[in-house]
Amino acid sequence: MATAKDRAPAPAALGLNDDIGEEKRLALYRSQIRLREAEQRAYDLFLQNLVKGTSHLSLGQEAIAAGFAEAMQKGDLSFCTYRGHAHTLARGVPVEKVLGELMQRDNGLMRGKGGSMHLTSEEHGVMGSYAIIGAHLPIACGAAWRAQYKGHKDVSVCFFGDGTTNIGAFHEALNFAAVWKLPVVFVCENNLYMEYTPIADVTAVPQPAADRASAYGLERILIDGNDADVVYRTAQKAFAKARAGEGPSLIECITYRHSGHSRADPGKYRPEGELEKWKERDPIKIYRERLKQFGISEDQMSDIDTEVRKEVDDATEACKAAPIPPVDILTTDVYADGGWAWRN
Amino acid sequence: MPEITYRDAVIRGIAQEMARDPDVVFLGEDVAKAGGVFKATVGLYEQFGPLRVRDTPISEQAILGAAMGAAMTGLKPIAEIMFSDFIAVCFDYIANEFPKSRYMSNGQTKCPLVVRTGNGAGSRFGAQHSQSVENWCMMIPGLKVVAPSSPRDVIGLLAAAVRDPDPVIFFEHKSLYATKGEVPDGEIVDTLGTAKVLRPGKDATILALALMVPRALEAAERLKAEHGIDAEVVDVRSLVPLDMQTILGSVAKTHRLFTVEENPRLCGWGAEIVSIVADEAFYELDGPPVRITTPHIPLPAADNLEDIVLPTPDRIVETVRRSLES
């Protein structure tokens, strides 16, 4: 595998500003650091028994969430999976809201009614995190259908794992989106494992998403999901296509999760040395090198690191101090009248 | 008053709502150019055009998922699942997605949609195209569940369902499509969660839904004529919300309760109502509540066999008569 250094363009040839530019690169860096710090904190809080229920971390996959979110415009919609912390944070949701939900406190994004797997913040365009594999691909199609019908220019972006490519809803949604030419972008985060089983052991083609694209008349798009620049550029292209009314895209991003599938999983099924090899390709490590090549100093980066850490520290303290949800929200919002009455 | 068929009432109900609100859109298999396999959507494609009335692939998950995504973001979709048995292949949306998104998101997510589906037996289609599955949906918090028995109720309840801010599963009975009923001209809008007393009586309350309603009415006329028993027939119409006030009021008057259910016996809607009546009106009852249901078997295809298993006016008359005489 080529190293990041081999692939990086010579900064001298590009000058210090290419198509991405310093401001956007700093935003991509800040976003990735923020996702990393917030999720590492979630893991620490889990070890302290302060994060309840389950949690599925995206440690090692930050370039995908950051790259897509930075390419999205206000009004674009994100549809996430149970592994949705990173995608939610990347749209600008405060760390406190996410950690509060993981800690099941009243200050959480949904006041503890949804939990880690269902993060939703419609004001930030996060239209839900879906814990039934594949369910949200058709839902993203529907949001895109509304945009098409109403003449809106927003794009629906649907993130899912490699395991999702083997469920029926994936295929129904891809065909549906292609036939109706919907402004939806499907993003497969291929982290090589469905849960505990290598995706290659249970899939008929080597690339679970990209190799299916042709079945739906779509371009085969397979990218390095650990390089935020590559992700960002790919996202921009797919969004432009969607906004131009030219239909959906299916993008497979190769990546690797540094932790297990969920908090219950130490990841012992992975061959020895695999994690270490992928940590060499850590998206944050790659991006720090990239920033240096574009003339951004260590000091600038560590200033960002410090600011982000402070946000995460402050959020942690706020969550620890926050009350648990009051019992009176138990029966609210079952129906649109705000209550739960099913009879008179 | 002019008479129209239940089938034409479906068309009129959808058209009434689509004409009223441009955010109402309609999707399903063979619903647009072909006018639906039951011909219950004929003319809508011509009237409202290809952007609002859309044929889908045979992809029930895509149909319901797309309806949900559209509903969450501002449209008011009507989705058709051709046979209600097919709800089983897209049950995730009915059980996990539509009804839970508002709650899980602490009220952020809305889901104002209608799923119309052809329910029930009588067409000799066998066990996978004939079921009454309203109880599959009744058990899920967050859904509303409606099953009209007459053309007028089809229009009024469909309009109410489309205008309702919650997800509504709307069960049309396949064996009622050809039946006729009086329908006034002009806009019709009914109210979800209201049962209707169709025939007042003093000796027994008979609750029925959809195809069982005309059978209960026929049985009530025969009970009166042949046995002098004056039965009150209540069309439940809406399982969620459930109009227990009307049901309890009827039981308080007649002191006897019978349910006529097309669903197989276990966990049918009548079981829930009987349990509520036992809980809240036990001392009003002069005898045990009796459920008249399809036996707990898959439905057979052969006409003589299918006819035996569904509750009939004969079976209702016999059951009510014997219960009241004992």
Side-chain angles (χ1 to χ4, degrees), chain A residues 228-281:
Chain A
D229 282 0
V230 171
V231 174
Y232 176 76
R233 289 193 183 104
T234 307
Q236 279 187 312
K237 203 173 145 198
F239 295 168
K241 179 186 168 191
R243 285 190 230 284
E246 289 164 20
S249 299
L250 172 62
I251 299 163
E252 178 173 336
C253 308
I254 301 293
T255 186
Y256 194 81
R257 62 172 146 76
H258 291 175
S259 55
H261 165 74
S262 69
R263 70 175 226 179
D265 169 28
K268 284 188 176 160
Y269 42 82
R270 301 196 281 213
E272 205 177 327
E274 187 179 81
L275 175 61
E276 290 67 31
K277 192 191 87 183
W278 276 94
K279 280 193 167 170
E280 283 301 302
R281 303 229 54 252

Tab-separated table of all heavy atoms in Angstrom, chain A residues 228-281:
chain	number	residue	atom	x	y	z
A	228	ALA	N	-9.134	12.413	4.249
A	228	ALA	CA	-10.268	13.350	4.247
A	228	ALA	C	-10.329	14.168	2.966
A	228	ALA	O	-11.422	14.552	2.530
A	228	ALA	CB	-10.185	14.269	5.463
A	229	ASP	N	-9.189	14.460	2.359
A	229	ASP	CA	-9.205	15.209	1.100
A	229	ASP	C	-9.897	14.412	-0.003
A	229	ASP	O	-10.706	14.945	-0.770
A	229	ASP	CB	-7.771	15.534	0.636
A	229	ASP	CG	-7.172	16.712	1.399
A	229	ASP	OD1	-7.869	17.271	2.274
A	229	ASP	OD2	-6.002	17.051	1.119
A	230	VAL	N	-9.549	13.128	-0.072
A	230	VAL	CA	-10.157	12.264	-1.095
A	230	VAL	C	-11.663	12.167	-0.861
A	230	VAL	O	-12.467	12.274	-1.791
A	230	VAL	CB	-9.510	10.856	-1.050
A	230	VAL	CG1	-10.269	9.879	-1.951
A	230	VAL	CG2	-8.036	10.933	-1.430
A	231	VAL	N	-12.047	11.980	0.392
A	231	VAL	CA	-13.471	11.874	0.732
A	231	VAL	C	-14.194	13.172	0.368
A	231	VAL	O	-15.258	13.153	-0.267
A	231	VAL	CB	-13.653	11.559	2.238
A	231	VAL	CG1	-15.135	11.607	2.614
A	231	VAL	CG2	-13.059	10.194	2.576
A	232	TYR	N	-13.603	14.282	0.744
A	232	TYR	CA	-14.223	15.590	0.510
A	232	TYR	C	-14.435	15.834	-0.985
A	232	TYR	O	-15.530	16.242	-1.413
A	232	TYR	CB	-13.336	16.673	1.120
A	232	TYR	CG	-13.808	18.088	0.867
A	232	TYR	CD1	-14.884	18.624	1.560
A	232	TYR	CD2	-13.140	18.892	-0.070
A	232	TYR	CE1	-15.307	19.916	1.329
A	232	TYR	CE2	-13.558	20.193	-0.304
A	232	TYR	CZ	-14.646	20.710	0.391
A	232	TYR	OH	-15.063	21.989	0.156
A	233	ARG	N	-13.421	15.549	-1.758
A	233	ARG	CA	-13.544	15.770	-3.218
A	233	ARG	C	-14.602	14.851	-3.829
A	233	ARG	O	-15.392	15.263	-4.677
A	233	ARG	CB	-12.196	15.516	-3.908
A	233	ARG	CG	-11.154	16.578	-3.627
A	233	ARG	CD	-9.979	16.426	-4.603
A	233	ARG	NE	-8.947	17.410	-4.291
A	233	ARG	CZ	-7.802	17.121	-3.658
A	233	ARG	NH1	-7.543	15.875	-3.287
A	233	ARG	NH2	-6.918	18.071	-3.410
A	234	THR	N	-14.617	13.605	-3.378
A	234	THR	CA	-15.596	12.649	-3.908
A	234	THR	C	-17.018	13.091	-3.552
A	234	THR	O	-17.939	13.015	-4.369
A	234	THR	CB	-15.322	11.244	-3.333
A	234	THR	OG1	-13.946	10.919	-3.568
A	234	THR	CG2	-16.209	10.197	-3.975
A	235	ALA	N	-17.171	13.561	-2.321
A	235	ALA	CA	-18.490	14.022	-1.869
A	235	ALA	C	-18.956	15.209	-2.705
A	235	ALA	O	-20.108	15.248	-3.162
A	235	ALA	CB	-18.423	14.406	-0.392
A	236	GLN	N	-18.074	16.152	-2.922
A	236	GLN	CA	-18.440	17.345	-3.712
A	236	GLN	C	-18.969	16.957	-5.087
A	236	GLN	O	-19.957	17.490	-5.581
A	236	GLN	CB	-17.215	18.235	-3.890
A	236	GLN	CG	-16.914	19.118	-2.697
A	236	GLN	CD	-15.803	20.082	-3.042
A	236	GLN	OE1	-14.779	19.676	-3.586
A	236	GLN	NE2	-16.006	21.348	-2.730
A	237	LYS	N	-18.263	16.004	-5.696
A	237	LYS	CA	-18.640	15.578	-7.046
A	237	LYS	C	-20.024	14.910	-7.042
A	237	LYS	O	-20.884	15.201	-7.888
A	237	LYS	CB	-17.576	14.591	-7.555
A	237	LYS	CG	-17.492	14.487	-9.047
A	237	LYS	CD	-16.294	13.628	-9.432
A	237	LYS	CE	-16.640	12.831	-10.676
A	237	LYS	NZ	-15.744	11.692	-10.898
A	238	ALA	N	-20.238	14.045	-6.052
A	238	ALA	CA	-21.529	13.335	-5.981
A	238	ALA	C	-22.666	14.306	-5.666
A	238	ALA	O	-23.774	14.181	-6.208
A	238	ALA	CB	-21.462	12.237	-4.915
A	239	PHE	N	-22.402	15.277	-4.798
A	239	PHE	CA	-23.448	16.249	-4.441
A	239	PHE	C	-23.800	17.117	-5.653
A	239	PHE	O	-24.972	17.429	-5.882
A	239	PHE	CB	-23.005	17.147	-3.281
A	239	PHE	CG	-22.790	16.416	-1.975
A	239	PHE	CD1	-22.161	17.037	-0.908
A	239	PHE	CD2	-23.210	15.100	-1.809
A	239	PHE	CE1	-21.958	16.372	0.293
A	239	PHE	CE2	-23.015	14.415	-0.613
A	239	PHE	CZ	-22.377	15.064	0.433
A	240	ALA	N	-22.787	17.514	-6.402
A	240	ALA	CA	-23.039	18.346	-7.590
A	240	ALA	C	-23.909	17.579	-8.579
A	240	ALA	O	-24.856	18.130	-9.169
A	240	ALA	CB	-21.720	18.748	-8.228
A	241	LYS	N	-23.606	16.300	-8.732
A	241	LYS	CA	-24.398	15.461	-9.636
A	241	LYS	C	-25.855	15.386	-9.156
A	241	LYS	O	-26.795	15.544	-9.945
A	241	LYS	CB	-23.777	14.053	-9.679
A	241	LYS	CG	-24.519	13.074	-10.562
A	241	LYS	CD	-23.930	11.668	-10.442
A	241	LYS	CE	-24.865	10.662	-11.094
A	241	LYS	NZ	-24.508	9.272	-10.790
A	242	ALA	N	-26.024	15.165	-7.849
A	242	ALA	CA	-27.382	15.064	-7.299
A	242	ALA	C	-28.140	16.378	-7.484
A	242	ALA	O	-29.299	16.389	-7.904
A	242	ALA	CB	-27.315	14.690	-5.815
A	243	ARG	N	-27.472	17.499	-7.186
A	243	ARG	CA	-28.143	18.804	-7.295
A	243	ARG	C	-28.490	19.146	-8.743
A	243	ARG	O	-29.432	19.883	-9.011
A	243	ARG	CB	-27.260	19.907	-6.705
A	243	ARG	CG	-27.237	19.907	-5.195
A	243	ARG	CD	-26.552	21.143	-4.629
A	243	ARG	NE	-25.548	20.824	-3.624
A	243	ARG	CZ	-25.806	20.458	-2.377
A	243	ARG	NH1	-27.044	20.353	-1.969
A	243	ARG	NH2	-24.829	20.172	-1.534
A	244	ALA	N	-27.711	18.599	-9.656
A	244	ALA	CA	-27.976	18.868	-11.071
A	244	ALA	C	-29.096	17.986	-11.621
A	244	ALA	O	-29.409	18.037	-12.810
A	244	ALA	CB	-26.693	18.656	-11.876
A	245	GLY	N	-29.675	17.146	-10.757
A	245	GLY	CA	-30.773	16.288	-11.209
A	245	GLY	C	-30.301	15.066	-11.970
A	245	GLY	O	-31.062	14.452	-12.710
A	246	GLU	N	-29.017	14.713	-11.765
A	246	GLU	CA	-28.479	13.579	-12.513
A	246	GLU	C	-28.496	12.270	-11.724
A	246	GLU	O	-27.879	11.295	-12.128
A	246	GLU	CB	-27.069	13.928	-13.004
A	246	GLU	CG	-27.109	14.978	-14.114
A	246	GLU	CD	-25.761	15.632	-14.345
A	246	GLU	OE1	-24.736	15.053	-13.956
A	246	GLU	OE2	-25.750	16.743	-14.908
A	247	GLY	N	-29.165	12.263	-10.583
A	247	GLY	CA	-29.417	11.004	-9.900
A	247	GLY	C	-28.451	10.643	-8.796
A	247	GLY	O	-27.596	11.438	-8.412
A	248	PRO	N	-28.613	9.422	-8.298
A	248	PRO	CA	-27.877	8.996	-7.108
A	248	PRO	C	-26.440	8.570	-7.395
A	248	PRO	O	-26.067	8.334	-8.544
A	248	PRO	CB	-28.685	7.778	-6.647
A	248	PRO	CG	-29.259	7.216	-7.903
A	248	PRO	CD	-29.532	8.388	-8.798
A	249	SER	N	-25.663	8.489	-6.312
A	249	SER	CA	-24.320	7.910	-6.373
A	249	SER	C	-24.179	6.896	-5.245
A	249	SER	O	-24.831	7.027	-4.209
A	249	SER	CB	-23.243	8.988	-6.180
A	249	SER	OG	-23.317	9.959	-7.200
A	250	LEU	N	-23.332	5.928	-5.481
A	250	LEU	CA	-22.975	4.934	-4.454
A	250	LEU	C	-21.458	4.972	-4.304
A	250	LEU	O	-20.734	4.733	-5.276
A	250	LEU	CB	-23.449	3.544	-4.887
A	250	LEU	CG	-22.994	2.363	-4.022
A	250	LEU	CD1	-23.518	2.467	-2.598
A	250	LEU	CD2	-23.452	1.037	-4.647
A	251	ILE	N	-21.004	5.315	-3.112
A	251	ILE	CA	-19.573	5.506	-2.875
A	251	ILE	C	-19.107	4.526	-1.809
A	251	ILE	O	-19.676	4.494	-0.711
A	251	ILE	CB	-19.300	6.959	-2.403
A	251	ILE	CG1	-19.732	7.953	-3.486
A	251	ILE	CG2	-17.822	7.140	-2.036
A	251	ILE	CD1	-19.884	9.377	-2.984
A	252	GLU	N	-18.120	3.719	-2.134
A	252	GLU	CA	-17.554	2.816	-1.119
A	252	GLU	C	-16.243	3.392	-0.609
A	252	GLU	O	-15.315	3.639	-1.382
A	252	GLU	CB	-17.332	1.418	-1.711
A	252	GLU	CG	-16.705	0.456	-0.698
A	252	GLU	CD	-16.625	-0.983	-1.203
A	252	GLU	OE1	-17.410	-1.372	-2.091
A	252	GLU	OE2	-15.736	-1.719	-0.708
A	253	CYS	N	-16.170	3.613	0.684
A	253	CYS	CA	-14.990	4.176	1.325
A	253	CYS	C	-14.299	3.074	2.132
A	253	CYS	O	-14.904	2.519	3.052
A	253	CYS	CB	-15.376	5.300	2.281
A	253	CYS	SG	-16.438	6.570	1.559
A	254	ILE	N	-13.065	2.793	1.801
A	254	ILE	CA	-12.333	1.772	2.548
A	254	ILE	C	-11.755	2.396	3.815
A	254	ILE	O	-11.087	3.433	3.756
A	254	ILE	CB	-11.197	1.173	1.708
A	254	ILE	CG1	-11.763	0.547	0.425
A	254	ILE	CG2	-10.404	0.142	2.508
A	254	ILE	CD1	-12.620	-0.661	0.641
A	255	THR	N	-12.040	1.757	4.931
A	255	THR	CA	-11.558	2.293	6.208
A	255	THR	C	-11.382	1.142	7.194
A	255	THR	O	-11.400	-0.025	6.789
A	255	THR	CB	-12.527	3.376	6.732
A	255	THR	OG1	-11.985	3.983	7.894
A	255	THR	CG2	-13.899	2.784	7.038
A	256	TYR	N	-11.213	1.478	8.443
A	256	TYR	CA	-10.984	0.449	9.465
A	256	TYR	C	-11.373	1.028	10.810
A	256	TYR	O	-10.994	2.150	11.132
A	256	TYR	CB	-9.500	0.060	9.479
A	256	TYR	CG	-9.204	-1.214	10.236
A	256	TYR	CD1	-9.401	-2.454	9.636
A	256	TYR	CD2	-8.732	-1.182	11.543
A	256	TYR	CE1	-9.138	-3.630	10.320
A	256	TYR	CE2	-8.464	-2.357	12.229
A	256	TYR	CZ	-8.670	-3.575	11.617
A	256	TYR	OH	-8.407	-4.738	12.298
A	257	ARG	N	-12.143	0.246	11.584
A	257	ARG	CA	-12.462	0.769	12.926
A	257	ARG	C	-11.418	0.284	13.923
A	257	ARG	O	-11.060	-0.890	13.935
A	257	ARG	CB	-13.892	0.428	13.345
A	257	ARG	CG	-14.240	-1.016	13.465
A	257	ARG	CD	-15.632	-1.215	14.077
A	257	ARG	NE	-16.334	-2.364	13.538
A	257	ARG	CZ	-16.085	-3.637	13.847
A	257	ARG	NH1	-15.131	-3.943	14.691
A	257	ARG	NH2	-16.788	-4.614	13.295
A	258	HIS	N	-10.950	1.216	14.715
A	258	HIS	CA	-9.887	0.887	15.658
A	258	HIS	C	-10.409	0.105	16.855
A	258	HIS	O	-9.656	-0.599	17.519
A	258	HIS	CB	-9.204	2.170	16.154
A	258	HIS	CG	-8.410	2.858	15.072
A	258	HIS	ND1	-7.796	4.072	15.239
A	258	HIS	CD2	-8.128	2.498	13.783
A	258	HIS	CE1	-7.177	4.433	14.116
A	258	HIS	NE2	-7.380	3.491	13.217
A	259	SER	N	-11.722	0.246	17.124
A	259	SER	CA	-12.295	-0.468	18.264
A	259	SER	C	-13.122	-1.639	17.745
A	259	SER	O	-13.215	-1.870	16.549
A	259	SER	CB	-13.162	0.493	19.082
A	259	SER	OG	-14.134	1.072	18.242
A	260	GLY	N	-13.765	-2.356	18.666
A	260	GLY	CA	-14.624	-3.463	18.263
A	260	GLY	C	-15.923	-2.945	17.660
A	260	GLY	O	-16.136	-1.739	17.536
A	261	HIS	N	-16.801	-3.872	17.293
A	261	HIS	CA	-18.088	-3.495	16.691
A	261	HIS	C	-18.887	-2.602	17.636
A	261	HIS	O	-19.428	-1.584	17.260
A	261	HIS	CB	-18.898	-4.750	16.363
A	261	HIS	CG	-20.338	-4.493	16.085
A	261	HIS	ND1	-20.762	-3.915	14.910
A	261	HIS	CD2	-21.452	-4.685	16.844
A	261	HIS	CE1	-22.088	-3.780	14.958
A	261	HIS	NE2	-22.523	-4.238	16.121
A	262	SER	N	-18.986	-3.038	18.882
A	262	SER	CA	-19.691	-2.254	19.890
A	262	SER	C	-18.896	-2.355	21.163
A	262	SER	O	-17.845	-2.996	21.216
A	262	SER	CB	-21.110	-2.794	20.098
A	262	SER	OG	-21.046	-4.062	20.726
A	263	ARG	N	-19.415	-1.771	22.213
A	263	ARG	CA	-18.659	-1.777	23.453
A	263	ARG	C	-18.492	-3.184	24.013
A	263	ARG	O	-17.623	-3.438	24.841
A	263	ARG	CB	-19.325	-0.868	24.476
A	263	ARG	CG	-20.642	-1.408	25.009
A	263	ARG	CD	-21.172	-0.522	26.081
A	263	ARG	NE	-21.622	-1.323	27.215
A	263	ARG	CZ	-22.130	-0.811	28.322
A	263	ARG	NH1	-22.226	0.484	28.469
A	263	ARG	NH2	-22.527	-1.589	29.298
A	264	ALA	N	-19.318	-4.115	23.536
A	264	ALA	CA	-19.245	-5.489	24.030
A	264	ALA	C	-18.154	-6.290	23.334
A	264	ALA	O	-17.927	-7.446	23.656
A	264	ALA	CB	-20.600	-6.163	23.838
A	265	ASP	N	-17.495	-5.679	22.366
A	265	ASP	CA	-16.619	-6.446	21.476
A	265	ASP	C	-15.170	-5.969	21.578
A	265	ASP	O	-14.854	-4.861	21.147
A	265	ASP	CB	-17.140	-6.258	20.034
A	265	ASP	CG	-16.149	-6.793	19.007
A	265	ASP	OD1	-15.377	-7.725	19.345
A	265	ASP	OD2	-16.150	-6.260	17.886
A	266	PRO	N	-14.276	-6.810	22.107
A	266	PRO	CA	-12.858	-6.416	22.153
A	266	PRO	C	-12.157	-6.597	20.806
A	266	PRO	O	-10.985	-6.235	20.653
A	266	PRO	CB	-12.289	-7.340	23.222
A	266	PRO	CG	-13.163	-8.542	23.216
A	266	PRO	CD	-14.528	-8.098	22.752
A	267	GLY	N	-12.837	-7.168	19.806
A	267	GLY	CA	-12.259	-7.300	18.466
A	267	GLY	C	-11.190	-8.370	18.357
A	267	GLY	O	-10.243	-8.259	17.581
A	268	LYS	N	-11.360	-9.455	19.115
A	268	LYS	CA	-10.314	-10.492	19.153
A	268	LYS	C	-10.233	-11.331	17.876
A	268	LYS	O	-9.295	-12.098	17.709
A	268	LYS	CB	-10.561	-11.403	20.369
A	268	LYS	CG	-10.142	-10.718	21.658
A	268	LYS	CD	-10.202	-11.653	22.848
A	268	LYS	CE	-9.679	-10.926	24.081
A	268	LYS	NZ	-10.099	-11.539	25.332
A	269	TYR	N	-11.239	-11.203	17.015
A	269	TYR	CA	-11.258	-11.987	15.775
A	269	TYR	C	-10.312	-11.420	14.733
A	269	TYR	O	-10.131	-11.985	13.677
A	269	TYR	CB	-12.695	-11.986	15.205
A	269	TYR	CG	-13.339	-10.627	15.294
A	269	TYR	CD1	-13.093	-9.646	14.346
A	269	TYR	CD2	-14.136	-10.291	16.390
A	269	TYR	CE1	-13.645	-8.379	14.461
A	269	TYR	CE2	-14.682	-9.031	16.516
A	269	TYR	CZ	-14.433	-8.069	15.545
A	269	TYR	OH	-14.952	-6.817	15.671
A	270	ARG	N	-9.695	-10.303	15.007
A	270	ARG	CA	-8.850	-9.683	13.988
A	270	ARG	C	-7.447	-10.293	14.017
A	270	ARG	O	-6.895	-10.524	15.091
A	270	ARG	CB	-8.757	-8.179	14.240
A	270	ARG	CG	-10.122	-7.528	14.214
A	270	ARG	CD	-10.054	-6.054	14.072
A	270	ARG	NE	-9.740	-5.377	15.297
A	270	ARG	CZ	-10.225	-4.165	15.604
A	270	ARG	NH1	-11.015	-3.536	14.752
A	270	ARG	NH2	-9.899	-3.591	16.726
A	271	PRO	N	-6.887	-10.556	12.839
A	271	PRO	CA	-5.545	-11.149	12.830
A	271	PRO	C	-4.521	-10.221	13.489
A	271	PRO	O	-4.652	-9.002	13.431
A	271	PRO	CB	-5.236	-11.348	11.347
A	271	PRO	CG	-6.290	-10.639	10.587
A	271	PRO	CD	-7.435	-10.368	11.501
A	272	GLU	N	-3.538	-10.833	14.087
A	272	GLU	CA	-2.499	-10.077	14.777
A	272	GLU	C	-1.812	-9.114	13.813
A	272	GLU	O	-1.511	-9.476	12.673
A	272	GLU	CB	-1.458	-11.058	15.344
A	272	GLU	CG	-0.713	-10.495	16.519
A	272	GLU	CD	0.263	-11.512	17.105
A	272	GLU	OE1	-0.053	-12.727	17.066
A	272	GLU	OE2	1.322	-11.091	17.568
A	273	GLY	N	-1.599	-7.926	14.242
A	273	GLY	CA	-0.877	-6.958	13.431
A	273	GLY	C	-1.751	-6.124	12.519
A	273	GLY	O	-1.323	-5.091	12.009
A	274	GLU	N	-3.022	-6.572	12.302
A	274	GLU	CA	-3.886	-5.842	11.371
A	274	GLU	C	-4.214	-4.431	11.879
A	274	GLU	O	-4.107	-3.443	11.145
A	274	GLU	CB	-5.187	-6.623	11.141
A	274	GLU	CG	-6.071	-6.020	10.058
A	274	GLU	CD	-7.345	-6.832	9.823
A	274	GLU	OE1	-8.318	-6.685	10.601
A	274	GLU	OE2	-7.352	-7.622	8.867
A	275	LEU	N	-4.566	-4.372	13.151
A	275	LEU	CA	-4.914	-3.073	13.733
A	275	LEU	C	-3.708	-2.129	13.682
A	275	LEU	O	-3.837	-0.956	13.313
A	275	LEU	CB	-5.385	-3.269	15.180
A	275	LEU	CG	-5.672	-2.003	15.985
A	275	LEU	CD1	-6.779	-1.172	15.348
A	275	LEU	CD2	-6.074	-2.364	17.426
A	276	GLU	N	-2.542	-2.656	14.013
A	276	GLU	CA	-1.327	-1.829	14.017
A	276	GLU	C	-1.053	-1.300	12.604
A	276	GLU	O	-0.683	-0.138	12.419
A	276	GLU	CB	-0.129	-2.633	14.528
A	276	GLU	CG	-0.189	-2.953	16.029
A	276	GLU	CD	-1.313	-3.911	16.412
A	276	GLU	OE1	-1.690	-4.774	15.587
A	276	GLU	OE2	-1.843	-3.788	17.546
A	277	LYS	N	-1.237	-2.171	11.613
A	277	LYS	CA	-1.005	-1.758	10.229
A	277	LYS	C	-1.965	-0.617	9.857
A	277	LYS	O	-1.566	0.376	9.238
A	277	LYS	CB	-1.245	-2.959	9.294
A	277	LYS	CG	-0.764	-2.743	7.882
A	277	LYS	CD	-1.247	-3.833	6.934
A	277	LYS	CE	-2.613	-3.504	6.365
A	277	LYS	NZ	-3.172	-4.527	5.493
A	278	TRP	N	-3.217	-0.747	10.269
A	278	TRP	CA	-4.197	0.292	9.940
A	278	TRP	C	-3.966	1.562	10.749
A	278	TRP	O	-4.295	2.654	10.284
A	278	TRP	CB	-5.622	-0.226	10.121
A	278	TRP	CG	-6.077	-0.965	8.897
A	278	TRP	CD1	-6.018	-2.299	8.665
A	278	TRP	CD2	-6.610	-0.379	7.698
A	278	TRP	NE1	-6.487	-2.594	7.412
A	278	TRP	CE2	-6.866	-1.436	6.796
A	278	TRP	CE3	-6.913	0.929	7.296
A	278	TRP	CZ2	-7.401	-1.226	5.520
A	278	TRP	CZ3	-7.452	1.138	6.037
A	278	TRP	CH2	-7.680	0.070	5.164
A	279	LYS	N	-3.417	1.412	11.939
A	279	LYS	CA	-3.130	2.625	12.715
A	279	LYS	C	-2.047	3.468	12.043
A	279	LYS	O	-2.005	4.695	12.210
A	279	LYS	CB	-2.764	2.272	14.160
A	279	LYS	CG	-4.011	2.004	14.998
A	279	LYS	CD	-3.731	1.948	16.486
A	279	LYS	CE	-5.059	1.995	17.259
A	279	LYS	NZ	-4.885	1.711	18.698
A	280	GLU	N	-1.211	2.808	11.253
A	280	GLU	CA	-0.256	3.569	10.430
A	280	GLU	C	-1.006	4.435	9.412
A	280	GLU	O	-0.492	5.441	8.942
A	280	GLU	CB	0.676	2.601	9.680
A	280	GLU	CG	1.769	1.999	10.557
A	280	GLU	CD	2.632	3.092	11.155
A	280	GLU	OE1	3.210	3.881	10.377
A	280	GLU	OE2	2.715	3.187	12.405
A	281	ARG	N	-2.201	3.981	9.056
A	281	ARG	CA	-3.028	4.721	8.097
A	281	ARG	C	-4.163	5.465	8.808
A	281	ARG	O	-5.212	5.727	8.219
A	281	ARG	CB	-3.593	3.767	7.031
A	281	ARG	CG	-2.553	2.976	6.261
A	281	ARG	CD	-2.762	3.026	4.759
A	281	ARG	NE	-2.833	4.392	4.283
A	281	ARG	CZ	-3.955	4.988	3.865
A	281	ARG	NH1	-5.099	4.335	3.864
A	281	ARG	NH2	-3.942	6.236	3.450
